[in-house]
Amino acid sequence: MSGYVNRSLDFTGRTGVLEYWRAQRALIWFLMLGIALAMGLLVSPLPQWTAVVGLVPILYVYVASIALGVRRLHDRGRSGWWLMIYSSPLAFSCVLLARNGGLPGELSSPVFIITGVAVLAALAFYVWGFIDIGVRKGRSGPNRYGPVPT
């Protein structure tokens, strides 16, 4: 467990698929702790602004997850910028939905079709990224990002 904490904010090197899932499990527990802390402080007799304390572990998990994804991409021989490629269509779809106030009621409207295609593309990119990062084995032998993770 201390290995995950020591490397949690490190964007260099490589991480194998098994270590990736173990670290993700630890980050999920830490995220739940942050959410529970924030929610507990919101309902406590303390002033509501104290719930900001719960944001610290949540922000830590956000940055550590990005670092973990970058190291996992390095193990696959890819740049960490691929993480943006996997998430950009999702962000674009969210912007489209927010801009249009959600999906329009009429199925034949161009806004519905464009937004639907964007959401499907986002889903395809997300699945592709999930398989590439979370399922596929890393490159054998050292690559430009370092030696094979042990």
Side-chain angles (χ1 to χ4, degrees), residues 59-133:
L59 289 173
Y60 169 80
V61 167
Y62 180 72
V63 175
S65 293
I66 292 172
L68 185 62
V70 167
R71 288 196 319 270
R72 182 69 194 113
L73 283 165
H74 287 175
D75 190 42
R76 298 268 310 120
R78 296 178 185 254
S79 166
W81 290 106
W82 275 88
L83 215 50
M84 288 195 56
I85 292 171
Y86 294 145
S87 61
S88 293
L90 180 63
F92 178 71
S93 297
C94 291
V95 167
L96 268 178
L97 286 171
R99 183 178 171 272
N100 298 322
L103 288 174
E106 208 172 304
L107 296 177
S108 62
S109 75
V111 173
F112 183 85
I113 294 170
I114 291 170
T115 307
V117 168
V119 168
L120 288 176
L123 180 63
F125 271 86
Y126 181 77
V127 169
W128 176 31
F130 176 81
I131 291 170
D132 196 29
I133 293 171

Side-chain angles (χ1 to χ4, degrees), residues 4-67:
Y4 301 135
V5 175
N6 292 341
R7 291 195 64 209
S8 63
L9 301 178
D10 184 12
F11 286 81
T12 61
R14 296 168 64 174
T15 296
V17 72
L18 185 61
E19 181 186 351
Y20 171 79
W21 285 112
R22 286 180 179 161
Q24 281 290 24
R25 183 178 57 203
L27 288 173
I28 287 170
W29 281 107
F30 201 63
L31 177 65
M32 290 190 316
L33 172 72
I35 291 170
L37 181 63
M39 295 302 292
L41 289 173
L42 275 175
V43 297
S44 74
L46 296 171
Q48 283 194 342
W49 65 266
T50 58
V52 172
V53 172
L55 288 179
V56 173
I58 293 170
L59 289 173
Y60 169 80
V61 167
Y62 180 72
V63 175
S65 293
I66 292 172

